[in-house]
Amino acid sequence: MAERGPTLLFSVFFCLLCYVFHTVASTKDEYSEELLIIPFRSGQVYSHFEFTTLWDVDFAQGGGGRYKLQHFRLFPRALGQVMTEYRVQEMHLTLTQGMWQQDKWGYPVTSAAPGAELWAWFQQEVDDVDQAWFGLTNALSGLFCASLNFIDSTSTATPHLSFRPQGLAEGLFSTKPSHLRYATLPRENVCTENLTPWKKLLPCSTRTGLAALFHAGQLYNTQYSSLGVHLRPVCRNDSCRDASLELRQVLSTVADPPATLNGKQDWSMKRYFSRSLSGPCPMAVTSRVYVDVTTNQTSSFTLKPEPTELKLTNYQGYNRKLAVYDLWSFPFHKEHGLNVDMKWKKEVSYKELFPPRLYVHRFVTGYGQEHGGIMSLLYNRHPYLEQQIIYMELLPWFTRMYLHTLKVETTEGNLVQPLLTRYTPGRDRQNPYLLEIVLTLPPDSTTRISFSFERAFLKWTEYPPDANHGFYISSAVLTTILRQADNFTVPPHMGSGLQSGLFHSSTEFPLRLHTETLLISLPTPDFSMPYNVICLTCTVIAIAFGSLHNLTTRRFQYTDLKKANSGGMRAWLAQLFGRGKQATSEDKLREPGKESEDPGEESETSEENDYIGEQRELVTPRVRAESDKKDR
Amino acid sequence: MAAHSGRNWAGLMFLCLLFVSVAASSNVEDQVGGFFKSGHTNNWAVLVCTSRFWFNYRHIANTLSVYRSVKRLGIPDSQIILMLADDMACNPRNPRPATVFNNANQHINVYGDNVEVDYRGYEVTVENFIRVLTGRLPPSTPRSKRLLTDDRSNVLVYMTGHGGEGFLKFQDAEEISNVELADAFQQMWQKNRYHEILFMIDTCQAVSMYHKFYSPNVIGIGSAQVGEDSLSHHVDPSIGVYIIDRYTYYLLEFLETVTPDSKKTLADLFRVCPKRVCVSTPGVRTDLFTRDPNTVLITDFFGSVRNVEITTETITLKRNDTAQLCSGSSCPGSRRGKRRKKLAYANQFPVEAAYEEEVTKPQWHFPMYFVAALSVFFITVVSAFRI
């Protein structure tokens, strides 16, 4: 009985401790996964996956918007530790393959530049932003298997007008452009090795839920494929006195059924993702698939299976009908899961495509390898509204921009005066050229922005191994606020998740568009030249030098033929084989001074010399003995 | 009497048990002894493809074949450094994106769905390769790009590309010589960065690359002798180029038959491609290796020694399990009662603010030395005129 007392006390204390630790738990985090499928009028099908994790982190801990991440539950720890280490407030990374065709497909949910694009806002208290940026790019290159470590000062810029923070930017959070860094790598290619670590950041990975559809062979067999990781602080609730950390992982693809099916537009999950959905991710609060069936009246396709509900949305006069499959309430069969299947009755008819009100194209002009030009065409198709835009251009240092050649005019010839021009000149091998122009596009017009540049000579060590491929110029970025919803796939929004954007009514839509990347060729030397020169020089030296050496160091002597004949076996053999030469040696008698032309035949010349001439002795016996020694 | 026989039976039983336990313990001893035979505790692999351009598709396929085998036999991605100088899978010329096949009949997709390439494209240089081996990387290098071996690590180094006598070409721009490679391995030895190395190379005149090795515990396997070319296996008409080299094709075929508990030895590996199929003569160098290759298991280099306990227990995940979560003020350590300022999103179109900033800035700004110099100039001019 006496023993039980302390043990009882200990067990009670232990239970209490457990209970205490049980309640001292991680802060609330929420995960939701959504998929949006939109068939375009041109026959392609757009699939956009969005995986959002919202974490109620305490931001005010260290001051200056610094957060401390611990007790990771749904938020990926690998990414969280990188963000804490380099004190990142907001980060956007996209890896894209292909070009989004604005005039055919409208606007994407999130626009991305071809290649790799990374921009980050650092916390207010960070003193050395460049050091933090350098560390961040290297850490991300290891995390996503991309060559982001090639981002250095020659490809990094600090835009002042474009790329404002998409997350909170008041009070604790920095808004000064000095804390922003932007860089792109247009040469970067995207493949399964980027998808693999990206998939592993998801709470359910690819075991179940929407991420189970990821099969690399299908995802990269598309016209456009983009991976994105977006991290930002957001309002926790409507009163917005607290902030949460939002991580948004995005995967967009545009598949082309008519190209692979000979004109037929039929699309199904099994065909384009190689599998069907078997259930939601257990960690997800919402798990939904939205299919845009607005065009069902006009194009008439049948959608199978039956959606859990049909929702109608309306913004700014645009009606949209969405079929919603809620994976938590969908009756899943044991054998086959959810396979969204769209079958069209007719072949794709390539209807007249209506491009959006605002879109942009860019291309290189000029010829030769010394100068060139870039021209951008900005289309504003609205009949009566003008549009204010910010146009940002980032040129590498080896295309030296001439600002005085900048011309902004409409195609009719009317000059458009920019409201603001912000130019940061570049420095050779150090900084790129950054140009930001604010201008107003007149209604129903095409505005031309053009300027010329000069191509630089690179040092021969600065060329990449495939130098003749050319060099890339990253895409230009157009930022604007549209006051009329127009051809939006999902209106850009400040809320989290697709549902806050799809069922959203606002009067202002911030929009970002990317143009094409450009490929230019710089004056490239012929790298095989040193090899060719060495070969040629060595041949010339071998032939000329050899001959000259023979001429200057060889002496020709005459010997007695009779003496040579009485040499015994060796001399008899020599005579046997030398019989063919006797005729030639007699010829040579007439030209005593002729030297041998072949420098390699030194032993033979001495033999020939033995048979040349009889009585003539050009050298004294003493010298002859010496030269004999030299020859042998 | 019964008690006496009972005691006999007990004694017999005891003796039986004794024998059985002795036999069992000798088994246990053998097992325990087996743990310490090979001498290594972890496995690493460095797989390098040094060639760029579409017509060198086969070199990427070679490296990925070995990657696939090594992963299948147990070495995790965190202990594999894969260096591919070009991207074939998502190359615009590839008719089957995100796949690299070793066979025209698409038997094995060696690229797979779970590949992690550590060094790719322009990052595959001689400098990076030697830095990875010797560990002398800049401090900003992430962990997945480092070779974190110790003195009990067995390292498999596989290289493929275009080579010549005594050198291997990297990306058509530079080359590594056999002397440099030998010195890199010696640096590794002096820094205790490996227990044993298996060096495999599939290039033309491959054996010349291991001629200069002088560090202990290194085995070299080359696919062709000096003066011989290592040949490729076959063309895939839809791709248009040779898709795999002979030596690695037969090596992969052999490795597909190896399982993680296989007892095949290095002697089998040396015989994987005889001259009649390979056309070139593979070479082997074992003089620096202390153990007898006939007793060394293939999984000592291609597999992995790891302590993994697999459980068959299942955990049911519940939807929206927020029982153990706190939020906002209910979290311990949060600031309670403090009036927090209302937060807001940034203005995405800050043109007005920027415009004002531009306008309020002074248009002209003269530095002090300019003003001083100008005043000095005017004074001298005025005084000169006066005089």
Side-chain angles (χ1 to χ4, degrees):
Chain A
M1 267 303 200
E3 302 168 334
R4 263 209 225 164
T7 48
L8 195 67
L9 201 68
F10 177 72
S11 56
V12 165
F13 179 69
F14 188 66
C15 284
L16 212 67
L17 214 66
C18 284
Y19 178 69
V20 165
F21 279 117
H22 192 71
T23 48
V24 174
S26 41
T27 44
K28 177 164 163 276
D29 52 0
E30 222 175 67
Y31 170 67
S32 58
E33 49 181 26
E34 291 156 312
L35 166 61
L36 175 65
I37 300 170
I38 299 181
F40 290 132
R41 294 174 89 123
S42 52
Q44 285 92 13
V45 176
Y46 178 37
S47 326
H48 178 87
F49 293 83
E50 204 158 298
F51 303 94
T52 317
T53 308
L54 268 172
W55 197 9
D56 295 346
V57 170
D58 190 0
F59 275 92
Q61 274 204 13
R66 190 175 192 156
Y67 46 79
K68 193 169 155 196
L69 301 181
Q70 47 189 346
H71 306 303
F72 290 88
R73 197 178 76 112
L74 296 173
F75 197 94
R77 182 175 162 177
L79 194 62
Q81 286 185 326
V82 170
M83 297 297 120
T84 326
E85 170 71 27
Y86 298 109
R87 292 178 288 167
V88 172
Q89 176 184 301
E90 191 174 314
M91 186 205 63
H92 302 267
L93 169 68
T94 50
L95 294 162
T96 312
Q97 181 195 63
M99 176 72 208
W100 180 271
Q101 299 179 29
Q102 296 154 21
D103 33 7
K104 275 205 259 174
W105 303 338
Y107 303 133
V109 178
T110 26
S111 185
E117 188 186 36
L118 173 66
W119 56 282
W121 279 85
F122 291 89
Q123 288 163 10
Q124 248 176 14
E125 51 166 27
V126 173
D127 288 323
D128 195 350
V129 180
D130 287 323
Q131 188 66 29
W133 173 249
F134 174 72
L136 178 68
T137 49
N138 276 289
L140 288 176
S141 85
L143 194 55
F144 291 104
C145 291
S147 329
L148 297 174
N149 50 318
F150 282 130
I151 292 176
D152 55 2
S153 64
T154 58
S155 47
T156 308
T158 308
H160 282 243
L161 300 171
S162 326
F163 296 104
R164 299 296 296 162
Q166 280 186 349
L168 294 172
E170 197 78 20
L172 293 170
F173 303 101
S174 61
T175 51
K176 278 188 292 184
S178 59
H179 285 259
L180 166 67
R181 290 290 181 273
Y182 171 83
T184 52
L185 290 174
R187 183 75 168 103
E188 194 66 19
N189 62 276
V190 188
C191 207
T192 315
E193 66 248 26
N194 303 112
L195 182 67
T196 308
W198 184 92
K199 280 191 305 202
K200 290 180 182 169
L201 298 177
L202 298 171
C204 283
S205 192
T206 46
R207 304 257 179 273
T208 177
L210 290 177
L213 292 175
F214 292 157
H215 180 231
Q218 302 291 7
L219 288 176
Y220 290 105
N221 196 4
T222 51
Q223 285 210 335
Y224 172 86
S225 174
S226 171
L227 276 180
V229 177
H230 304 272
L231 184 93
R232 60 175 184 151
V234 292
C235 288
R236 201 177 285 184
N237 39 35
D238 287 332
S239 65
C240 207
R241 288 199 188 275
D242 286 305
S244 295
L245 195 63
E246 179 202 70
L247 171 69
R248 203 161 63 99
Q249 285 180 258
V250 159
L251 193 139
S252 307
T253 58
V254 176
D256 202 355
T260 46
L261 288 176
N262 258 346
K264 282 209 239 152
Q265 227 177 328
D266 298 344
W267 186 93
S268 74
M269 269 186 188
K270 268 232 168 95
R271 186 196 290 283
Y272 282 96
F273 295 119
S274 298
R275 48 201 75 158
S276 48
L277 290 168
S278 56
C281 172
M283 322 294 275
V285 159
T286 43
S287 184
R288 290 207 190 116
V289 178
Y290 304 100
V291 183
D292 187 336
V293 293
T294 324
T295 51
N296 212 347
Q297 293 95 21
T298 45
S299 322
S300 73
F301 61 88
T302 50
L303 180 67
K304 275 193 289 193
E306 277 301 309
T308 36
E309 64 177 308
L310 275 171
K311 275 193 175 163
L312 289 160
T313 67
N314 178 327
Y315 38 85
Q316 301 268 339
Y318 281 89
N319 288 320
R320 187 176 270 183
K321 201 166 163 194
L322 291 166
V324 182
Y325 295 88
D326 190 343
L327 295 184
W328 279 113
S329 49
F330 185 81
F332 279 100
H333 277 270
K334 281 197 185 136
E335 294 96 38
H336 49 269
L338 167 58
N339 176 28
V340 175
D341 194 330
M342 301 194 281
K343 273 203 168 51
W344 270 260
K345 293 190 184 131
K346 297 176 244 179
E347 280 190 6
V348 65
S349 55
Y350 294 115
K351 289 191 198 332
E352 188 191 331
L353 299 167
F354 298 108
R357 294 272 153 79
L358 184 70
Y359 59 102
V360 60
H361 283 298
R362 189 177 74 144
F363 42 88
V364 182
T365 58
Y367 56 90
Q369 291 202 325
E370 202 188 337
H371 297 285
I374 290 181
M375 182 175 291
S376 294
L377 293 172
L378 300 109
Y379 298 85
N380 180 11
R381 289 265 164 271
H382 201 281
Y384 52 85
L385 277 182
E386 53 183 28
Q387 190 66 38
Q388 219 179 49
I389 59 147
I390 304 173
Y391 177 80
M392 188 192 94
E393 185 84 61
L394 182 66
L395 288 183
W397 67 265
F398 43 79
T399 47
R400 300 185 190 118
M401 181 197 270
Y402 290 131
L403 190 63
H404 72 279
T405 55
L406 178 68
K407 219 164 34 163
V408 184
E409 57 179 9
T410 60
T411 40
E412 281 103 36
N414 306 326
L415 213 64
V416 175
Q417 187 67 14
L419 294 170
L420 193 67
T421 311
R422 206 191 170 92
Y423 176 64
T424 311
R427 229 180 257 170
D428 271 7
R429 300 178 179 86
Q430 280 176 35
N431 298 331
Y433 291 81
L434 179 67
L435 175 71
E436 285 181 284
I437 314 173
V438 182
L439 56 117
T440 310
L441 301 177
D444 198 16
S445 68
T446 310
T447 311
R448 253 205 299 248
I449 299 179
S450 61
F451 56 87
S452 42
F453 60 81
E454 175 194 60
R455 296 172 212 227
F457 271 118
L458 298 183
K459 297 182 187 161
W460 73 285
T461 47
E462 288 171 343
Y463 288 94
D466 53 350
N468 288 298
H469 181 90
F471 292 80
Y472 282 89
I473 298 179
S474 51
S475 61
V477 182
L478 190 113
T479 317
T480 184
I481 294 194
L482 282 185
R483 300 260 136 73
Q484 260 211 356
D486 157 50
N487 235 319
F488 276 103
T489 307
V490 173
H493 50 275
M494 289 308 183
S496 299
L498 279 176
Q499 54 184 355
S500 74
L502 284 171
F503 312 110
H504 173 86
S505 54
S506 163
T507 49
E508 284 194 357
F509 302 94
L511 175 70
R512 181 170 288 134
L513 292 176
H514 288 89
T515 63
E516 296 91 338
T517 50
L518 306 172
L519 182 63
I520 58 161
S521 59
L522 294 183
T524 309
D526 178 8
F527 287 102
S528 63
M529 183 273 285
Y531 169 75
N532 296 336
V533 165
I534 291 169
C535 283
L536 186 69
T537 318
C538 289
T539 313
V540 164
I541 287 177
I543 292 175
F545 179 73
S547 315
L548 218 61
H549 183 265
N550 279 337
L551 264 176
T552 50
T553 58
R554 192 159 290 147
R555 288 176 183 279
F556 296 94
Q557 318 133 28
Y558 295 94
T559 49
D560 210 340
L561 272 171
K562 288 171 202 158
K563 276 188 198 165
N565 279 343
S566 61
M569 181 68 161
R570 189 160 166 264
W572 174 75
L573 273 170
Q575 200 190 11
L576 200 70
F577 290 113
R579 254 194 209 154
K581 283 188 188 159
Q582 269 193 348
T584 52
S585 65
E586 273 167 15
D587 286 338
K588 292 218 170 147
L589 271 175
R590 288 174 211 129
E591 309 161 53
K594 195 171 178 197
E595 56 271 16
S596 71
E597 283 161 29
D598 207 327
E601 278 185 83
E602 270 199 59
S603 52
E604 280 181 83
T605 49
S606 57
E607 262 190 291
E608 275 184 337
N609 284 335
D610 283 339
Y611 294 98
I612 291 171
E614 314 104 354
Q615 292 92 8
R616 289 152 77 179
E617 282 203 1
L618 298 174
V619 294
T620 59
R622 188 169 64 85
V623 177
R624 186 187 168 170
E626 269 176 10
S627 62
D628 277 352
K629 281 183 207 153
K630 270 189 212 158
D631 282 340
R632 284 156 211 159
Chain B
M1 274 297 145
H4 196 68
S5 65
R7 251 186 288 160
N8 278 340
W9 273 116
L12 257 168
M13 283 300 293
F14 174 72
L15 277 170
C16 282
L17 271 169
L18 196 69
F19 279 125
V20 164
S21 66
V22 164
S25 67
S26 64
N27 258 350
V28 167
E29 266 175 21
D30 279 338
Q31 273 185 353
V32 169
F35 286 147
F36 295 108
K37 245 188 232 169
S38 53
H40 70 283
T41 57
N42 53 80
N43 285 77
W44 287 74
V46 179
L47 310 172
V48 184
C49 165
T50 60
S51 301
R52 175 170 274 276
F53 304 122
W54 182 245
F55 51 82
N56 291 322
Y57 182 102
R58 61 189 188 279
H59 295 142
I60 304 276
N62 289 350
T63 318
L64 287 170
S65 306
V66 180
Y67 174 77
R68 175 204 154 76
S69 307
V70 144
K71 241 178 111 158
R72 198 176 51 82
L73 292 172
I75 303 187
D77 266 314
S78 54
Q79 289 176 234
I80 302 176
I81 306 251
L82 180 61
M83 302 173 86
L84 297 180
D86 202 357
D87 174 51
M88 297 300 163
C90 290
N91 197 309
R93 281 163 138 164
N94 193 347
R96 294 177 282 270
T99 58
V100 173
F101 289 107
N102 78 321
N103 190 294
N105 298 324
Q106 297 170 42
H107 284 166
I108 311 174
N109 174 14
V110 290
Y111 197 60
D113 225 1
N114 218 6
V115 59
E116 283 185 24
V117 182
D118 302 301
Y119 287 84
R120 61 182 201 162
Y122 298 131
E123 289 176 289
V124 179
T125 57
V126 175
E127 184 187 341
N128 279 349
F129 175 63
I130 294 188
R131 280 187 186 278
V132 161
L133 285 183
T134 54
R136 295 158 77 166
L137 291 157
S140 56
T141 317
R143 206 188 155 95
S144 60
K145 286 181 165 175
R146 287 178 187 263
L147 187 68
L148 300 166
T149 49
D150 52 26
D151 63 325
R152 290 266 150 239
S153 310
N154 273 9
V155 186
L156 166 71
V157 180
Y158 177 85
M159 301 182 76
T160 182
H162 288 289
E165 192 180 337
F167 68 92
L168 174 60
K169 191 169 72 157
F170 266 69
Q171 289 203 53
D172 219 12
E174 49 183 2
E175 62 210 23
I176 184 171
S177 65
N178 49 3
V179 175
E180 282 173 353
L181 191 59
D183 286 341
F185 283 156
Q186 178 65 7
Q187 274 196 54
M188 285 178 80
W189 176 252
Q190 289 185 356
K191 291 166 91 170
N192 289 332
R193 280 171 67 81
Y194 72 89
H195 173 63
E196 283 167 352
I197 288 184
L198 174 62
F199 176 74
M200 293 185 76
I201 179 158
D202 186 358
T203 66
C204 301
Q205 309 189 44
V207 299
S208 63
M209 283 305 283
Y210 61 61
H211 273 166
K212 300 273 187 205
F213 286 176
Y214 56 98
S215 319
N217 291 350
V218 177
I219 298 186
I221 304 177
S223 66
Q225 298 291 331
V226 173
E228 277 182 359
D229 286 338
S230 185
L231 301 173
S232 32
H233 197 252
H234 64 276
V235 179
D236 184 352
S238 64
I239 291 180
V241 290
Y242 284 96
I243 58 169
I244 191 133
D245 277 338
R246 281 175 187 263
Y247 184 77
T248 311
Y249 180 80
Y250 291 106
L251 175 70
L252 181 64
E253 211 177 77
F254 169 72
L255 287 173
E256 288 288 299
T257 61
V258 174
T259 53
D261 54 359
S262 168
K263 292 284 171 246
K264 293 192 180 160
T265 64
L266 281 188
D268 300 319
L269 189 67
F270 296 159
R271 285 192 298 264
V272 84
C273 199
K275 193 177 163 76
R276 58 179 171 80
V277 283
C278 248
V279 185
S280 60
T281 321
V284 168
R285 181 177 177 178
T286 50
D287 58 315
L288 294 165
F289 200 65
T290 46
R291 292 194 283 155
D292 178 19
N294 288 317
T295 60
V296 179
L297 295 175
I298 286 188
T299 49
D300 275 359
F301 290 101
F302 283 86
S304 176
V305 175
R306 271 186 308 165
N307 249 344
V308 176
E309 268 182 43
I310 300 176
T311 171
T312 47
E313 212 182 282
T314 51
I315 303 169
T316 325
L317 297 166
K318 283 178 283 188
R319 180 189 180 184
N320 219 355
D321 184 7
T322 53
Q324 291 179 28
L325 303 174
C326 66
S327 177
S329 50
S330 61
C331 289
S334 68
R335 301 179 187 192
R336 292 168 215 221
K338 189 175 179 186
R339 286 201 69 181
R340 291 178 292 279
K341 214 172 107 182
K342 191 167 161 71
L343 305 162
Y345 290 106
N347 181 6
Q348 296 288 306
F349 204 78
V351 175
E352 289 81 24
Y355 200 57
E356 278 168 21
E357 197 190 301
E358 289 288 312
V359 165
T360 52
K361 256 194 226 161
Q363 295 295 320
W364 293 92
H365 175 65
F366 293 110
M368 273 315 295
Y369 60 82
F370 177 73
V371 170
L374 201 66
S375 46
V376 164
F377 173 72
F378 273 120
I379 289 166
T380 48
V381 158
V382 160
S383 53
F385 269 122
R386 284 237 177 119
I387 293 162

